[in-house]
Amino acid sequence: MDLHEMAGGRPGDAQELPGLDSLYTATVEGRPSDELEDLRAVLCRLPMLGPYNAMLVEVQRPGSLYVATAPAWHQDFGRRLRPGARPLVILKPFGPVEFVYDVSDTEGPALPADVLSPFRVRGPITEEGLVRFADRLRTRAIGYRQTADPQAPGRTERVGTWDPSRPASKGEIRYTITVDEALNPAARLATVFHELGHIYCDHLQGPTATQRHQYRQLSERRREFEADIVSWLACGRLRIDSAAGRDLRGYAEADGSMPPVSVQAIVHALGKVEAIGGGLRSLAAMVSGPPASAAEEAESQDMLDFDPGP
């Protein structure tokens, strides 16, 4: 599978890799590791960063474990930069760029034991947590409803006609996500992540010329694969008990290959999903209940792992 192949575009577009696809291709070319697992490993290893910035850090310094600004290393951890420490550039909210450093470029007291997993959910997904997240969807012009439909665990529909270049007005609904009410809260949340993947990967074609302009012409199988990857990564970053990893196995061909996807589109969509919850830390606190037991943690990890099989 070439994870970084352009997954299609609008009619007439040159078949070129978007920026992040090109950058990330250069970092993994010739590496034997499975690219899908590699992508998840990067994003789950750097939860302190948004998805796009995590990928930028990986491009600049593969294997980075924990990054922070120089003042944060000193103030939060009592560590200082080593001589010759190399700064890594990330995008700064409401500004141009910011410089951060990996823990390997610092010295001082050991990091606290739980610092590498600061944004994971601490317990099972609750009904109340799902409702809180669903309520936040309306701030992105997305409606949410539940219905009894075991044949279709989730679907998304466009609502009306509108110009995608115009910001949604207050109270406007442009999409409606419908989820099977029989699913447990974690499965429903993973399904919402999947449907948001369709929205933010530009999989949905609208009735007007302006709505069609942002539509990426992919096969249904490739659209579903990208949306499943978005859900799988969102669950992985939060450590949510979800079967999303197992679902990906169904896309493997007899030779083990997978449909090509756009890393750019997937990482963009993942960032949008986390932004709905106010960032990864807020999202984790929003959707989860009391801490899980050790046995539940082990089972959760098994559900998140992806193994394409022989």
Side-chain angles (χ1 to χ4, degrees), residues 133-157:
F133 183 71
D135 286 344
R136 294 291 291 270
L137 295 177
R138 300 189 70 85
T139 66
R140 300 300 195 273
I142 301 171
Y144 174 81
R145 66 190 185 98
Q146 298 181 168
T147 186
D149 189 357
Q151 300 303 314
R155 66 178 184 273
T156 301
E157 300 168 309

Side-chain angles (χ1 to χ4, degrees), residues 13 74 85 113 148 150 176 178 278 288 299 307:
D13 283 355
H74 176 69
T176 297
T178 303
S288 62
E299 181 181 358
D307 177 4

Side-chain angles (χ1 to χ4, degrees), residues 6-138:
M6 175 63 173
R10 295 182 289 274
D13 283 355
Q15 293 300 296
E16 297 179 332
L17 297 176
L20 186 56
D21 286 316
S22 295
L23 286 172
Y24 193 56
T25 298
T27 71
V28 300
E29 186 174 0
R31 287 167 60 180
S33 62
D34 179 86
E35 294 177 0
L36 195 54
E37 278 288 2
D38 187 78
L39 175 62
R40 177 179 177 270
V42 171
L43 294 174
C44 291
R45 182 174 9 102
L46 298 169
M48 75 297 301
L49 296 175
Y52 201 96
N53 276 335
M55 299 302 293
L56 289 181
V57 164
E58 180 68 9
V59 166
Q60 297 170 79
R61 184 158 187 169
S64 293
L65 186 62
Y66 190 96
V67 301
T69 63
W73 279 121
H74 176 69
Q75 296 168 12
D76 299 341
F77 303 106
R79 296 176 69 89
R80 59 185 179 276
L81 299 184
R82 296 180 186 274
R86 189 182 74 179
L88 305 170
V89 180
I90 62 173
L91 301 180
K92 182 179 180 180
F94 309 110
V97 298
E98 188 167 45
F99 297 103
V100 295
Y101 298 84
D102 183 51
V103 62
S104 62
D105 271 335
T106 69
E107 56 189 11
L111 293 178
D114 62 346
V115 74
L116 299 181
S117 298
F119 305 109
R120 64 187 303 172
V121 299
R122 298 300 179 182
I125 305 304
T126 65
E127 196 73 42
E128 296 77 10
L130 177 62
V131 170
R132 285 192 292 268
F133 183 71
D135 286 344
R136 294 291 291 270
L137 295 177
R138 300 189 70 85

